[in-house]
């Protein structure tokens, strides 16, 4: 199965796509993010995704006889990951009576190193959990004001520690000023072997979910934050980190799908997925669709609201043509992960037009589509600056967070840690940032409406959104830009 590079779902920071940012001065902007890279038809490290049927009790012994090992098996979902197989052995496995399909695993990745971050003053106090609007950098947070989160906080709607949001990403800096105490480490895990080895060698005292990339910490902070530096949509919601992307920004499809199943089994009420790609439905891809659909349907049955990013290539997910290494492919022949998966909330991005003007302009990079987009949320528009702030000029249209203490310029140089002081912040923009705003709202609604009602939560999010753009369902806004206060009946 050939993986293509049709869009950029893993949010950009500073600019969109793989090109270098024009401005890499000390403005605190991180590097751009990119879509998963194209892969050959060969399985990643001899690893395969397996869809099972019926009684698969002999899966382990069968794979072992073929020279491989089962690295993950979820019997209820009928999903397994096997490694160490040759293509010939994988073909033999596909012929087993209890195997429906065998698909090669493929890599997903983010691009290269991030530019400098902004140093933040150290005079902080953790006194803002009950009033997130007092966070030190709340004045930078146009995004929270755009969705009316401050009205929910004023009404005491701060989330519940009994509600859990799983962050499928590059990990979480669970010791940062805004995260400390919010991440349930007993339920957090990693599906990235390279990061596990990096941690063991250089940061052995840290949990496996520690974030060496920065993306996951930024995403998590929009969902739930103690609001020392930056407010999140909630300040009391419990987070679990499910690491599926590593320090270099790479991971695997098997890790992502395993992460979804893991999060569901850990009782996650909401799953945030600020990642994705696309592949051809033909030539074996249709079977991968079945596998993905089975995994997502399982999580839905377990009661999880699944929130996904729409992507950052400015394309119409309903009608556009996608450029690929092999030419141009019309969308209907592609499966876009994970907006095409069942039961998801697919989120597009909005951003400020000017520093003080309209906060709800569709972001210039966001993917769109009348049938694809559920709702919109703040993702940022790169380039809007304010020059008269006491801290100097900053891009205010980004979505901000603390920079992880173990953020690495490169996994090859683990001693180079520009945020090691714990007092640095960074900014991102993209649908990666839009999605967790919706995940935070979903967490608030679970606290209000009860657990195990993903369809009702999704409906409330859509019904309560501000109807922007064309009346009704709009290609850019879906049902509208989310409104936290209205969703809670305030």
């Amino acid at each position: 199965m050939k993986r293509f590079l049709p869009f950029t779902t893993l949010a950009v920071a500073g600019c969109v796509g793989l090109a270098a940012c024009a401005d890499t001065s000390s403005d605190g902007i991180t590097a751009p993010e990119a879509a998963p890279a194209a892969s050959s038809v060969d399985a990643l490290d001899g690893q395969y995704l397996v869809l099972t049927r019926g009684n698969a009790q002999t899966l382990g012994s069968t794979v072992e006889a073929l020279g491989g090992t089962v690295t993950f098996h979820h019997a209820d979902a009928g999903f397994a990951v096997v490694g160490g197989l040759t293509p010939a052995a994988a073909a033999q496995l596909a012929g087993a009576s209890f195997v429906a399909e065998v698909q090669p695993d493929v890599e997903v990745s983010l691009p290269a190193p991030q530019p400098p971050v902004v140093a933040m003053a150290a005079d902080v106090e953790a006194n803002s959990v009950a009033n997130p609007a007092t966070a030190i950098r709340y004045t930078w947070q146009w995004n929270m004001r755009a969705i009316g989160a401050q009205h929910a906080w004023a009404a005491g709607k701060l989330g519940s520690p009994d509600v859990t949001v799983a962050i499928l990403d590059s990990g979480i800096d669970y010791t940062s000023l805004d995260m400390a105490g919010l991440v349930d480490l007993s339920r957090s895990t990693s599906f990235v072997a390279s990061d596990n080895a990096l941690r063991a060698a250089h940061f052995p005292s840290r949990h496996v979910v520690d974030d060496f990339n920065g993306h996951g910490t930024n995403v998590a902070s929009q969902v739930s934050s103690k609001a020392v530096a930056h407010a999140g949509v909630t300040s009391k919601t419990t987070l679990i980190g499910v690491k599926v992307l590593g320090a270099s920004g790479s991971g695997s499809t098997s890790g992502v799908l395993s992460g979804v199943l893991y999060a569901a089994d850990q009782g996650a009420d909401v799953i945030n997925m600020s990642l994705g790609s696309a592949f051809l439905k033909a030539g074996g891809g249709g079977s991968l669709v079945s596998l993905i659909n089975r995994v997502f349907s399982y999580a839905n049955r377990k009661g999880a609201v699944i929130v996904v990013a729409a992507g950052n290539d400015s394309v119409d997910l309903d009608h556009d043509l996608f450029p690929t290494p092999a030419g141009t492919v019309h969308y209907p022949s592609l499966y876009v992960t994970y907006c095409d998966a069942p039961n998801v909330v697919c989120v597009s991005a909005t951003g400020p037009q000017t520093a003080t003007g309209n906060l709800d302009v569709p972001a210039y990079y966001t993917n769109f589509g009348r049938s694809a987009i559920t709702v919109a949320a703040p993702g940022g528009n790169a380039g809007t600056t304010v020059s008269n702030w006491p801290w100097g000029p900053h891009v205010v249209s980004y979505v901000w967070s603390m920079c992880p203490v173990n953020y690495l310029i490169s996994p090859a140089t683990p001693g180079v840690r520009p945020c090691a002081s714990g007092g640095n912040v960074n900014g991102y923009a993209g649908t990666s940032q839009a999605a967790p705003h919706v995940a935070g709202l979903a967490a608030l609604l679970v606290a209000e409406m009860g657990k195990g009602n993903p369809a009702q939560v999704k409906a409330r999010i859509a019904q309560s959104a501000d109807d922007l753009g064309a009346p009704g369902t709009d290609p850019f806004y879906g049902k509208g830009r989310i409104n936290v206060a209205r969703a809670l009946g305030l």
Side-chain angles (χ1 to χ4, degrees):
M1 193 250 331
K2 183 77 172 178
R3 174 163 301 246
F4 294 112
L5 183 60
F7 64 82
T8 312
T9 45
L10 297 170
V12 298
C15 58
V16 177
L18 293 171
C21 299
D23 182 2
T24 57
S25 62
S26 58
D27 57 3
I29 309 309
T30 61
E33 303 179 30
S39 169
S40 71
V41 294
D42 293 332
L44 180 65
D45 297 328
Q47 193 156 275
Y48 291 83
L49 313 176
V50 179
L51 186 66
T52 63
R53 58 188 171 201
N55 188 340
Q57 289 183 343
T58 59
L59 174 65
S61 58
T62 302
V63 170
E64 184 177 353
L66 291 170
T69 57
V70 177
T71 59
F72 182 87
H73 182 206
H74 197 288
D76 289 343
F79 170 74
V81 181
V82 300
L85 294 183
T86 65
Q92 284 186 266
L93 178 62
S97 60
F98 55 84
V99 174
E101 293 291 340
V102 176
Q103 292 289 332
D105 195 9
V106 287
E107 185 181 61
V108 295
S109 63
L110 290 170
Q114 300 178 334
V117 292
V118 176
M120 187 186 75
D123 54 340
V124 296
E125 296 180 35
N127 60 359
S128 50
V129 173
N131 185 10
T134 63
I136 292 171
R137 292 291 182 258
Y138 178 66
T139 56
W140 294 16
Q141 294 191 276
W142 62 273
N143 48 311
M144 294 300 162
R145 295 188 290 277
I147 61 177
Q150 72 275 19
H151 303 306
W153 305 333
K157 305 296 185 180
L158 303 168
S160 167
D162 294 330
V163 175
T164 299
V165 178
I167 308 297
L168 268 67
D169 218 291
S170 65
I172 304 174
D173 180 1
Y174 54 90
T175 61
S176 80
L177 294 170
D178 287 336
M179 292 285 100
L182 293 177
V183 184
D184 184 349
L185 296 179
S186 70
R187 291 189 287 165
S188 296
T189 194
S190 169
F191 288 93
V192 184
S194 58
D195 260 31
N196 296 342
L198 180 65
R199 180 204 63 83
H202 300 282
F203 310 102
S205 65
R206 301 288 288 187
H207 191 277
V208 293
V209 81
D210 197 20
D211 186 7
F212 306 135
N213 180 274
H215 186 269
T217 298
N218 180 273
V219 168
S221 298
Q222 313 316 316
V223 176
S224 186
S225 169
K226 293 179 73 174
V228 178
H230 309 93
V233 176
T234 80
S235 59
K236 295 184 178 180
T237 301
T238 297
L239 302 172
I240 60 174
V242 182
K243 184 184 286 194
V244 296
L245 299 172
S248 62
S250 33
S252 63
T253 300
S254 64
V256 172
L257 297 181
S258 299
V260 172
L261 294 171
Y262 175 86
D265 285 342
Q266 291 300 314
D269 300 294
V270 184
I271 298 173
N272 188 87
M273 301 179 67
S274 291
L275 45 81
S277 62
F279 57 85
L280 284 171
K281 296 176 184 176
S287 299
L288 189 55
V289 170
S290 299
L291 194 153
I292 292 172
N293 289 353
R294 187 182 290 191
V295 167
F296 277 68
S297 294
Y298 175 86
N300 179 260
R301 291 196 304 272
K302 295 287 284 188
V305 181
I306 306 175
V307 182
V308 303
N312 302 341
D313 273 313
S314 306
V315 296
D316 186 339
L317 297 180
D318 293 337
H319 303 294
D320 243 7
L321 300 178
F322 284 82
T324 74
T328 300
V329 179
H330 194 266
Y331 169 73
S333 65
L334 293 175
Y335 184 95
V336 178
T337 57
Y338 289 94
C339 283
D340 279 348
N343 308 306
V344 302
V345 181
C346 177
V347 186
S348 62
T350 58
Q353 188 172 42
T354 65
T356 58
N358 185 358
L359 302 180
D360 291 322
V361 176
Y364 66 91
Y365 51 79
T366 189
N367 288 349
F368 56 97
R370 195 180 303 275
S371 67
I373 303 302
T374 309
V375 289
N381 264 331
T384 304
T385 62
V386 172
S387 60
N388 60 349
W389 287 9
W391 309 285
H394 289 79
V395 178
V396 296
S397 62
Y398 286 168
V399 175
W400 294 88
S401 69
M402 297 298 298
C403 181
V405 293
N406 287 331
Y407 159 67
L408 305 178
I409 293 293
S410 167
T413 55
V416 182
R417 296 159 48 221
C419 299
S421 69
N424 295 335
V425 302
N426 56 11
Y428 289 76
T431 55
S432 274
Q433 281 54 58
H437 289 80
V438 180
L441 172 55
L444 290 174
L445 290 174
V446 170
E448 296 285 317
M449 301 169 64
K451 295 172 176 281
N453 302 301
Q456 291 88 332
V457 170
K458 178 180 178 179
R460 177 73 68 84
I461 290 171
Q463 293 163 1
S464 60
D466 287 343
D467 188 3
L468 303 177
T473 304
D474 180 86
F476 285 95
Y477 299 100
K479 293 299 183 181
R481 190 258 302 120
I482 63 167
N483 186 315
V484 173
R486 182 177 292 123
L488 294 171
L490 301 175

